[in-house]
Amino acid sequence: SDVSAGRELKSWKEIEILEAYLDNSATTWCTEHVRDVVVKTMMEDYGNPSSKHTKGMEAEKYLREQMALARRDLAYLESVLQEIQQAETEQDFLDIRGEMSDAGFIRKQGKKVLQRPSKPREFKTSGGFRVLVGRNNRQNDKLTLHTARGKDLWFHVQKAPGSHVVVMSRGEDIPDTTRQEAAELAVIYSSAYKAGTGAKVAVDTTEVKNIWKANGAKPGMVLYEVYTTVYITPRDGLEEQLKQKK
C-alpha cells in the first residue's frame, strides 16, 4: 500500500520513501499510522492499493501547481523588466531593487538604508484633470488601492506589463478627451508601446471601486471587473505635452 495516497504532496522525496508493503502472510502487527493510511486509501482513493496510479496523479497535481506558480512569477518578472526599461532616476532603480528584495528574488545587501520612495509620474490632461502613473509595482498597488478613490478612473494595457494609470476625478464626470489621453499614457508606459508604428493597443479601463487584490498576489497584480476595452494608438510626444501642463 502506498502511504502517500490521500495526502497532500509536500516534496518529490515523499514519492520515493513514503511507501509501506503489507505481506499477506505477515504475523507482525502494523503501526496505527500505516493502518490509518491504508484505511483512508481504501475508503477515499479506491483502486488497486499496489498501483502506482495514485502516485502519478499526485505527481501530476504537484507539477501543475508548480507550473502555475512559475507562470505567476514569470508574469511578475516581466513587469519588473518593463519597470527597469522605463526607469528615469537612480531612485527608480533603488525602488525596484527594494521591491525585488522584498519579493525574495534578490538578496538583501547589508544594513538597510532608509530611502525616500519616488512619487508617481504626474500629468495634467487638456481638460485639467490630474493623472498619476505608477513607476513600479509597489507604487502601482499604493496608487490604485490606497491613493485613488471609488470613482477615479483606472487604465491599464490588456494582457501585458505596464503602469497603473489613474485619472483623479475630483467627483466630476471625466470627459472623453481626458479618457483618451489617459489611455494613451497607459500604452506609453507599458511593454506594448512601440513608438512610431501606429499600432493599436488594447487598454482596459474601469472605476477604481471595481478593482481588488487577491490574497498572496505579487505587487502590482490586481483583479477587476465591469470594465471597458478601448483600442489606442498613442500620439508621439504626448507625455511631454501633458507634463508641461502640470
Side-chain angles (χ1 to χ4, degrees):
S1 174
D2 184 349
V3 303
S4 68
R7 299 176 69 251
E8 181 182 353
L9 187 63
K10 299 299 182 184
S11 71
W12 284 106
K13 192 174 181 181
E14 288 191 357
I15 296 177
E16 299 173 354
I17 67 172
L18 287 181
E19 293 183 344
Y21 297 97
L22 304 182
D23 186 345
N24 291 334
S25 301
T27 58
T28 56
W29 60 278
C30 65
T31 65
E32 292 183 0
H33 170 67
V34 173
R35 179 201 65 197
D36 292 343
V37 169
V38 171
V39 171
K40 185 175 188 299
T41 299
M42 294 297 189
M43 296 298 294
E44 298 180 10
D45 297 317
Y46 311 106
N48 184 344
S50 64
S51 171
K52 299 297 182 183
H53 182 62
T54 300
K55 179 187 293 184
M57 290 179 64
E58 292 200 6
E60 180 183 13
K61 177 185 176 183
Y62 177 81
L63 281 173
R64 290 187 183 279
E65 290 172 350
Q66 294 305 306
M67 289 169 66
L69 291 174
R71 283 192 292 268
R72 184 193 68 179
D73 286 348
L74 177 59
Y76 171 70
L77 291 173
E78 287 176 342
S79 73
V80 173
L81 177 61
Q82 183 264 329
E83 293 173 10
I84 293 171
Q85 291 172 339
Q86 296 193 329
E88 299 170 342
T89 67
E90 181 181 359
Q91 188 59 51
D92 287 344
F93 289 108
L94 291 173
D95 289 345
I96 294 168
R97 181 176 183 83
E99 175 189 326
M100 293 195 69
S101 178
D102 288 347
F105 285 99
I106 60 175
R107 192 175 298 174
K108 295 182 183 292
Q109 288 189 331
K111 186 177 179 180
K112 186 174 182 180
V113 179
L114 292 177
Q115 299 283 346
R116 179 176 295 179
S118 58
K119 295 181 180 180
R121 298 179 181 93
E122 187 170 340
F123 303 88
K124 185 173 287 187
T125 69
S126 57
F129 285 83
R130 185 176 174 225
V131 179
L132 301 179
V133 178
R135 294 176 182 271
N136 55 65
N137 285 311
R138 289 195 299 190
Q139 200 173 89
N140 285 334
D141 275 352
K142 183 177 180 181
L143 171 60
T144 299
L145 302 173
H146 300 286
T147 304
R149 293 294 180 262
K151 286 191 172 294
D152 293 341
L153 207 54
W154 181 88
F155 296 79
H156 195 284
V157 290
Q158 190 180 88
K159 299 178 181 178
S163 295
H164 293 202
V165 175
V166 175
V167 178
M168 312 304 285
S169 68
R170 308 178 305 213
E172 302 174 17
D173 291 335
I174 299 174
D176 290 343
T177 53
T178 289
R179 293 169 183 260
Q180 169 73 24
E181 289 166 352
E184 291 182 58
L185 289 172
V187 176
I188 291 170
Y189 291 101
S190 78
S191 64
Y193 182 47
K194 303 293 186 290
T197 64
K200 287 186 178 297
V201 178
V203 176
D204 289 342
T205 177
T206 187
E207 291 182 346
V208 168
K209 66 181 181 180
N210 297 322
I211 300 171
W212 72 96
K213 193 172 187 70
N215 291 334
K218 294 289 185 185
M221 303 295 180
V222 296
L223 300 171
Y224 54 92
E225 58 185 4
V226 194
Y227 63 93
T228 300
T229 301
V230 294
Y231 294 86
I232 298 296
T233 301
R235 289 165 284 178
D236 292 340
L238 176 71
E239 69 277 23
E240 293 302 322
Q241 295 174 30
L242 298 184
K243 279 182 182 178
Q244 295 170 5
K245 293 179 180 294
K246 287 173 59 176

